[in-house]
Amino acid sequence: NLATVSAQKAARWNAEGFNMMAVVANYYIQRCSASETREGEVIRQRKEAQEENEKNLTNLQKELTAKLEAERETWKADLAKEKLRQVELESVKRKEISDLEDRLQKELETRSQIE
């Protein structure tokens, strides 16, 4: 009988030990599950933030490209106007020079006729 009682106590002790191990294992399993859930949430948030940053960078790049292109077109238009103005000034100068040459030629003819 003593061996039976001793065996029963050992069996109870082992069963209680296994129950305690099961409780501890369940605790760590739950903790690991919560950690994995939190990790997944952090990864998802990071991906969303990264996608948002890429979207913002793309939009900023498009905006800056459009502004630079508009500014470039303005400079081209200003350059074309300035070139046209220079051509007109050259034309006026040539006309003035031609008029002066004509006046000088007439003056010389007039002087040569007087002499």
Side-chain angles (χ1 to χ4, degrees):
N1 242 352
L2 186 60
T4 307
V5 171
S6 180
Q8 285 176 345
K9 282 183 182 179
R12 250 188 251 132
W13 186 83
N14 284 338
E16 287 176 5
F18 284 126
N19 284 338
M20 287 300 291
M21 285 192 293
V23 168
V24 170
N26 282 334
Y27 169 77
Y28 282 106
I29 288 170
Q30 289 173 353
R31 201 166 153 198
C32 182
S33 176
S35 176
E36 287 174 353
T37 302
R38 177 68 183 135
E39 181 182 359
E41 180 65 21
V42 168
I43 289 171
R44 185 189 62 74
Q45 288 175 348
R46 188 176 135 248
K47 276 185 178 180
E48 287 175 357
Q50 189 173 10
E51 288 171 359
E52 184 68 24
N53 284 344
E54 288 174 5
K55 179 181 165 187
N56 289 340
L57 285 175
T58 301
N59 289 341
L60 181 61
Q61 183 181 17
K62 287 178 183 178
E63 182 181 323
L64 289 174
T65 300
K67 283 182 181 178
L68 287 174
E69 198 58 39
E71 191 171 327
R72 181 176 176 225
E73 291 302 319
T74 300
W75 288 349
K76 278 183 175 181
D78 290 348
L79 181 61
K81 286 178 187 176
E82 184 60 27
K83 284 181 178 180
L84 183 60
R85 192 178 76 77
Q86 288 296 324
V87 167
E88 289 172 353
L89 284 175
E90 285 295 318
S91 176
V92 167
K93 285 180 184 177
R94 279 193 225 111
K95 175 86 168 96
E96 288 175 353
I97 290 172
S98 176
D99 290 348
L100 286 173
E101 287 175 344
D102 289 346
R103 281 183 41 205
L104 181 61
Q105 184 64 32
K106 287 180 183 177
E107 187 68 34
L108 288 175
E109 288 173 5
T110 306
R111 284 190 181 176
S112 70
Q113 288 177 358
I114 293 177
E115 293 177 359

